[in-house]
Amino acid sequence: MEQALVVSTMQLLSQILVNGVLLGGLYALMALGLALVWGVLNIVNLAHGALIMLGAYVGYYLFTLLNIDPFLALPLSMAVLFCVGYLLQRGILNLIARAAMFNTLLITFGIDVVLTQLAQIFFSADFRTINPSYAGSNFMVFGVTLPLVRVLAFVVALALTIALWLFLLHTRLGRAIRATAQNLGAARLYGVEPKAIYALTFGLGAALAGGAGDLYGVVSQINPYIGATLTAKSFAIAIIGGLESPLGVVVGGIFLGVVESLTALYIGPTFVDIASFGILVLVLIFRPNGLLGATT
Amino acid sequence: MTLRFKFILGVAAALMLATLPWFASPTLIQFGISTLLLATLAQGWNIIGGFTGYASFGNSEFFGLGSYGTAIAMVQWQLPFGVGLIFGVLLSVIFALVVGIPVLRLRGHYFAIATLALSQVMTAIVSNLEVAGRNTGLVLPLLNGDTLFYELSLAVLLLATLTVLWISNSRFGFGLIAIRENEDAAASMGVNTTLYKVLAFALAGVFSALAGGIHAYWITFIDPVSAFDLSLNVKMIIMTVFGGPGSVLGPVIGAFVLSGISETLSTEISSLANLFFGVVIVAAVVFMPRGLADLMRRFRKTGWRYFSENVKQHRL
Amino acid sequence: MTPPPLLEIRGLSKRFGGLVAVDDVNFSLASGETLGLIGPNGAGKTTLINLISGSITPTTGDILFEGRSIKDLTAFKRARLGIGRTFQIMKPFPGLSVLDNVAIGALFGTSETAKALRTARDEADQWLELMDLSRYADRRADELGGPDRKRLELAKAMAMKPKLLLLDEVMAGLNHVEINEVIEAIKKVRNTGISVLVIEHVIKVIQRLSDRLLVLHHGQQIVEGKPGVVLADPRVIEAYLGRRRA
C-alpha cells in the first residue's frame, strides 16, 4: 500500500518534470529572439511577446484558411515575422538607434501596444487554438504520458535553437552579428554594413518569435493579449540563462518550465506567476548576469 | 514679474478647474475625475521616471495598493474613507521602501523589467489573499457625490504638482536630476543616491496610492486585474513623456490633452483609443523625445526643423 | 606629535576574478602636496582612484583619510568628507546648464545639508569665473567642447571644496595648446592649497605638476620619489617609457 503510494508519487513527479521540460523547450525558443536582439542591438524589445502573438495568428490563419499543418507552416510564419521585424527596425527603431536606453524601451512598449490593438481589431479578442487532427494524441514512455504536439514542439524548438547557434558560430553573417554585439564597427570587417546587421538581427529575432508563436498556438490558447506575459517570461529566461550563448537560454527556459509545473502542482496554479516572476526579480537582484553568468 | 504672472495664471487655472462641477454635465465631471486621477499618476511617475530617470513600469502597483488599502479598511474593518486612504498610502510607502531598496540598485533595462515583473507578482498575490477578496475582489459602500470625488481628485493633483514644483527648485530635486543625468558622477559629488532614489520612489508611491484610493471609492468595486491594471503604466508614462518628463506642468498637460483625444476617439471605437496611445508613444519618442514642454520652448526658433533635427540626432 | 598625512594607503589590493589590478600598494600624501601617478596602460591607475573615491571596494588593505579608515564608507560619504574626483571619461550632467553642473558640487560636496539653491549657484559662479567658463554658464553642459569640458570637470570637483582632488587623465584627447591651458587651470586649483593625486599619460604634464611621482606597473608600485629621479630610473624606463620610445 505505502509502496504503491511512493510509486505513484514518483510517477506524478516525473510526469510533472517531463511536462516542465517540454514547456521549457518552447520557452527557450521564445526567449531566444529577445536575447539575440538584446545582445546585439542592446534593445530590450518589449514588443517581443506581441511578435510571438503575431506568429501564432499567422500559424492559426494558415491552418484555418489554407489548411496548412502548423508544423509545415512554421517556416512561413518565420518568414512573415522576419519581414515585420526587418521593417520595424529599418522604419522605426533605426530612427532612435542612438537615443537613450529609456527611449528604446518606451518605443518598443508603444509598438507592443499598437500591435496588440491592431490584432484585437483584425483578429478579435476571442481565444483561438490551432487544432490539427492529431492534437489530442499521446504516447506513453515508462509510464509517463507524452502529448504528441508538445513533444514535436519541443523537438522543433530545440532544433531551431541549435540551428541558430550553428549559424552564429559558423557562417560569415553569423560571425558579423556576433562581432557587432561587441562593437558596431566590427561588422565592417566582415564586409557587412552595420545598419544592415541591425535590421537583419532584429528580423531574425522576430522570425524566432514567429516560430515560437506558431508552436505556442498549437500547445496553448492564443488571444491578442498574450504578448505582455510572454515578453516578461522571455526576459526572465534570458536573465536566468544569461546572454552569452543560446545554450544558456535553453537551460533558462527549461528551468522556468519545470519551476512553473512544480508550482502549479504543489502550491497551486494561481501561484505560477508569483513563482516565475518572483524568481526573475530575485535573479535580477542577486545574479544580474544570469544564474549561469559570471559573478561580478 | 514673469514669476508673479505664472503664479497668478496657476491660481486662476486651479480655481477654474475647481468651479467646473457647478456648470458641467455629469458625464463631463466623470471624465474630469478620471483625467485628474490620471494626471496625478503621471505626476507621480514624473518624480521617479522624469526627474530621477528610473523608468518604472510598475507604478500601477502603488495605485493597486492604494485601492486595496482603502477597500480593505472600509469593507473588512468598517473604517472611514479617510483612514482607508491613509492605510493605502502607508502600504504603498512600505512597499516602496521594502522593494525599492533592492530593486533601485538595478539600472536601465533591469530596473524597468523588475518593476514590470513585480506588478504581475502583485496581481497574483492579491488574487490569493482572503482579506482582499481573492479573484472576486471587493465591493465598497456606495457614495453618490461626483462633485466631492472631483474636488478631492483636484486637490490631490494640486498637492502632487506643488510637490513637483518644490522638487524642481530644491536640493533634493537637484540630487534626483544628477542621478538621472549620471549616477556615478552624482555619487562621487556627494549625492546619497540610494536614499534619494528610494525617497523619490516612495513619493511617487504616495500620490499613486492616493489616486488609487479615491478611484476605488468612486468606482465602488475593485478586483486584482483592474486595480493592478498594467495599461495604467502605459497611460501615465505616455502622458508624462508626451507632456515633458522632468517638467512641472508637462505631465498634467499631457494627461489633459491625451485624455481628451482618447475620450473623443473611444466614443467611436473603444480599441481605437488604445491604438492611439500606442501610436502617440512611438511618434513622440521619435519626433519629440523631450516632450511638449521642450517643443513649445524651441519651436519658435527652429520651426518644423525641430522634428527632423530630433530624428537626425538619434538615428543611426 | 606630527599630524597624520591627509591620505594614507596601506597594503591596498584589488582583485577582479583572477586578475590582480592593484597589488599591495602603500603610499601617503601630505596636505597641500601633489602626487603624480604614472604607469603604462592597464597598470591599475584608474582602479586605484576608484578605490580611493569609493566606486569599488578593496580586496585587502586600508585607506586612511585624515587618520581615519574610510574603506567601508560609500562613495557619497567620502565625497562629503572632502574627496573630489574627475573621471577619465568625462561625466558632466549633460542635460543641465554649465552653472547647475557646478552648483550640484556646491550643494552636495559638503556636510552642510541645508544650503539653499541660490547660495550654491553663487558659489558655482565663482568657480566658473576662476575656470574662465562664466560666458558658458547658461549653455547645456554637453555643448561644451574639449578643454572647456575639462575645466568644467575641474570646476564641478572644486565646488565641492575638497581637501583631496583625484584627477584621472584630465588631458586625454587634448592637443598641445589645450593641454597648456588646462595645466594652468590645474595650477590654479593647486594654489588653493588642496592636495592633488593626478594620473596622467603625458609625461610633460606630470613633471610640471607633481611634487612627487609614484610609478605603477602590473598593479605594483615599482618606484616612488622626486620626478627627476623617478623618470631617470631604469626600471621606469623599461616598464613605461622604454616601450614608448621603442
Side-chain angles (χ1 to χ4, degrees):
Chain A
M1 176 73 185
E2 207 165 84
Q3 210 174 10
L5 202 66
V6 171
V7 169
S8 72
T9 319
M10 281 307 294
Q11 214 163 46
L12 184 62
L13 187 63
S14 40
Q15 178 72 55
I16 292 298
L17 286 176
V18 167
N19 288 354
V21 170
L22 290 180
L23 181 65
L26 183 54
Y27 276 178
L29 183 60
M30 285 184 189
L32 202 56
L34 183 101
L36 180 72
V37 168
W38 187 2
V40 177
L41 279 74
N42 197 24
I43 289 176
V44 171
N45 179 15
L46 295 182
H48 188 73
L51 295 172
I52 297 176
M53 178 270 294
L54 282 188
Y57 275 101
V58 172
Y60 172 78
Y61 283 108
L62 286 174
F63 178 70
T64 48
L65 299 180
L66 302 174
N67 217 2
I68 300 177
D69 182 272
F71 288 96
L72 295 178
L74 191 88
L76 291 171
S77 186
M78 290 181 73
V80 171
L81 265 290
F82 177 86
C83 298
V84 172
Y86 189 91
L87 292 175
L88 274 179
Q89 207 286 330
R90 267 282 149 106
I92 298 176
L93 292 174
N94 212 24
L95 298 178
I96 57 148
R98 288 187 298 135
M101 171 281 305
F102 176 49
N103 289 5
T104 62
L105 271 180
L106 274 180
I107 206 162
T108 57
F109 191 48
I111 292 171
D112 173 75
V113 174
V114 170
L115 292 179
T116 306
Q117 296 306 322
L118 286 178
Q120 200 218 307
I121 292 170
F122 289 108
F123 309 146
S124 91
D126 297 341
F127 278 100
R128 316 263 191 200
T129 39
I130 306 176
N131 239 334
S133 54
Y134 50 86
S137 325
N138 296 317
F139 53 96
M140 299 278 285
V141 177
F142 299 120
V144 175
T145 314
L146 297 173
L148 179 64
V149 286
R150 284 186 179 250
V151 173
L152 280 177
F154 177 80
V155 171
V156 172
L158 223 53
L160 275 174
T161 307
I162 293 168
L164 176 78
W165 199 10
L166 294 176
F167 166 76
L168 288 179
L169 284 179
H170 296 299
T171 65
R172 187 188 171 83
L173 187 58
R175 288 202 198 102
I177 287 176
R178 283 194 301 142
T180 307
Q182 310 296 326
N183 173 1
L184 180 55
R188 288 211 177 83
L189 299 176
Y190 295 88
V192 192
E193 259 303 295
K195 269 189 200 174
I197 289 283
Y198 271 19
L200 284 173
T201 307
F202 200 86
L204 196 56
L208 290 166
D214 180 67
L215 297 176
Y216 187 81
V218 182
V219 303
S220 184
Q221 288 187 315
I222 56 167
N223 73 1
Y225 304 110
I226 56 175
T229 315
L230 296 182
T231 302
K233 282 190 181 168
S234 302
F235 186 88
I237 294 158
I239 285 292
I240 293 168
L243 293 174
E244 282 86 26
S245 83
L247 187 69
V249 176
V250 171
V251 175
I254 289 176
F255 178 78
L256 192 72
V258 170
V259 167
E260 287 193 352
S261 302
L262 290 174
T263 310
L265 176 71
Y266 289 108
I267 307 177
T270 47
F271 287 87
V272 166
D273 280 354
I274 301 184
S276 49
F277 295 122
I279 287 175
L280 166 59
V281 174
L282 292 179
V283 170
L284 275 174
I285 291 168
F286 295 108
R287 297 290 302 247
N289 291 322
L291 278 181
L292 306 173
T295 40
T296 45
Chain B
M1 171 60 202
T2 48
L3 200 69
R4 176 179 287 180
F5 180 67
K6 274 184 187 168
F7 176 74
I8 293 171
L9 208 67
V11 171
L15 282 177
M16 234 170 67
L17 280 174
T19 54
L20 189 95
W22 280 272
F23 53 81
S25 69
T27 2
L28 187 60
I29 296 175
Q30 281 170 8
F31 167 71
I33 296 172
S34 67
T35 304
L36 290 170
L37 292 178
L38 278 173
T40 307
L41 286 176
Q43 200 61 286
W45 193 87
N46 192 24
I47 299 173
I48 185 70
F51 277 89
T52 323
Y54 271 72
S56 167
F57 282 77
N59 276 19
S60 58
E61 289 148 35
F62 298 131
F63 181 87
L65 285 171
S67 306
Y68 266 100
T70 307
I72 289 171
M74 290 179 77
V75 177
Q76 308 284 24
W77 307 330
Q78 273 84 45
L79 293 167
F81 172 62
V83 180
L85 209 52
I86 293 169
F87 180 62
V89 169
L90 217 61
L91 279 183
S92 206
V93 169
I94 292 170
F95 182 82
L97 298 181
V98 171
V99 166
I101 289 170
V103 169
L104 284 161
R105 281 170 52 207
L106 305 169
R107 303 234 178 131
H109 301 138
Y110 295 92
F111 174 78
I113 301 286
T115 52
L116 192 65
L118 274 171
S119 51
Q120 306 216 359
V121 174
M122 287 307 291
T123 319
I125 289 177
V126 170
S127 5
N128 284 296
L129 276 184
E130 189 62 54
V131 72
R134 293 183 185 272
N135 280 324
T136 40
L138 295 168
V139 179
L140 287 86
L142 185 67
L143 176 72
N144 278 321
D146 276 359
T147 307
L148 179 68
F149 285 116
Y150 179 90
E151 299 297 347
L152 206 53
S153 309
L154 182 63
V156 172
L157 175 60
L158 276 179
L159 188 65
T161 306
L162 288 175
T163 307
V164 170
L165 180 65
W166 167 75
I167 286 176
S168 71
N169 282 300
S170 69
R171 183 175 185 270
F172 177 61
F174 264 63
L176 298 186
I177 293 171
I179 291 170
R180 175 188 75 200
E181 297 287 319
N182 190 326
E183 191 164 342
D184 291 329
S188 80
M189 291 180 81
V191 179
N192 187 348
T193 48
T194 310
L195 177 71
Y196 273 41
K197 287 188 290 185
V198 172
L199 283 180
F201 201 43
L203 212 49
V206 168
F207 294 116
S208 314
L210 285 172
I214 295 173
H215 187 261
Y217 195 21
W218 177 49
I219 291 290
T220 73
F221 168 72
I222 58 167
D223 66 6
V225 177
S226 67
F228 292 94
D229 185 2
L230 276 176
S231 73
L232 275 180
N233 290 315
V234 187
K235 288 180 186 163
M236 62 181 117
I237 294 172
I238 296 170
M239 286 165 175
T240 313
V241 170
F242 182 78
S247 64
V248 178
L249 284 179
V252 180
I253 294 169
F256 285 8
V257 171
L258 292 183
S259 287
I261 301 177
S262 100
E263 183 71 13
T264 321
L265 285 175
S266 64
T267 49
E268 307 291 324
I269 310 176
S270 68
S271 54
L272 222 53
N274 285 325
L275 182 63
F276 164 76
F277 275 122
V279 172
V280 165
I281 196 167
V282 173
V285 171
V286 171
F287 295 110
M288 38 179 281
R290 280 184 286 270
L292 266 185
D294 187 68
L295 170 69
M296 295 199 292
R297 214 174 306 127
R298 302 216 290 173
F299 189 77
R300 231 172 303 155
K301 232 197 296 179
T302 58
W304 295 103
R305 267 186 319 156
Y306 178 83
F307 301 108
S308 60
E309 267 166 21
N310 274 326
V311 173
K312 257 183 224 147
Q313 198 185 341
H314 298 299
R315 77 162 174 227
L316 193 65
Chain C
M1 205 177 99
T2 51
L6 183 69
L7 177 75
E8 195 179 347
I9 302 296
R10 285 187 189 161
L12 198 66
S13 299
K14 176 67 184 179
R15 226 167 263 125
F16 294 110
L19 174 82
V20 186
V22 170
D23 189 2
D24 191 25
V25 169
N26 294 278
F27 67 89
S28 63
L29 184 60
S31 248
E33 192 186 16
T34 299
L35 175 69
L37 190 61
I38 61 172
N41 271 333
K45 294 169 299 192
T46 296
T47 307
L48 190 54
I49 283 214
N50 284 339
L51 285 168
I52 299 171
S53 74
S55 345
I56 52 176
T57 50
T59 314
T60 54
D62 204 351
I63 305 165
L64 281 82
F65 188 71
E66 299 183 304
R68 170 181 164 208
S69 171
I70 57 165
K71 82 174 159 69
D72 296 321
L73 296 183
T74 54
F76 87 90
K77 282 191 182 143
R78 297 189 202 188
R80 286 188 190 173
L81 281 180
I83 301 180
R85 75 168 290 181
T86 65
F87 289 88
Q88 187 172 359
I89 299 154
M90 293 289 152
K91 293 187 173 181
F93 304 116
L96 286 182
S97 72
V98 167
L99 181 69
D100 284 347
N101 259 274
V102 181
I104 284 177
L107 275 175
F108 290 96
T110 61
S111 45
E112 182 193 341
T113 51
K115 195 183 277 182
L117 199 55
R118 181 177 298 181
T119 324
R121 282 191 174 138
D122 287 346
E123 286 177 28
D125 255 334
Q126 292 169 18
W127 287 110
L128 287 185
E129 203 161 313
L130 190 69
M131 290 290 134
D132 292 322
L133 288 170
S134 296
R135 68 205 134 147
Y136 299 130
D138 296 327
R139 292 261 190 99
R140 274 170 61 108
D142 55 2
E143 288 171 14
L144 290 190
D148 290 330
R149 198 174 269 212
K150 312 276 178 179
R151 279 197 290 254
L152 170 61
E153 205 67 10
L154 285 173
K156 276 168 64 184
M158 288 310 291
M160 296 163 63
K161 299 199 184 128
K163 296 171 185 142
L164 167 66
L165 182 60
L166 312 169
L167 298 178
D168 192 356
E169 299 225 14
V170 184
M171 303 300 172
L174 296 186
N175 64 30
H176 281 290
V177 181
E178 292 167 342
I179 284 178
N180 284 332
E181 280 179 39
V182 177
I183 286 180
E184 290 313 307
I186 294 178
K187 280 186 177 164
K188 283 185 200 163
V189 163
R190 211 180 45 178
N191 290 343
T192 61
I194 66 169
S195 307
V196 183
L197 178 63
V198 48
I199 293 187
E200 200 47 72
H201 235 95
V202 189
I203 294 300
K204 183 185 81 175
V205 173
I206 213 118
Q207 260 176 317
R208 279 171 63 186
L209 286 175
S210 312
D211 302 320
R212 208 149 49 91
L213 281 186
L214 179 79
V215 186
L216 277 187
H217 187 41
H218 296 316
Q220 296 171 321
Q221 66 193 100
I222 53 174
V223 196
E224 188 195 337
K226 293 275 174 207
V229 181
V230 167
L231 292 174
D233 192 296
R235 283 169 298 179
V236 177
I237 295 168
E238 189 197 318
Y240 181 64
L241 302 172
R243 274 203 331 202
R244 299 205 116 203
R245 279 184 191 157

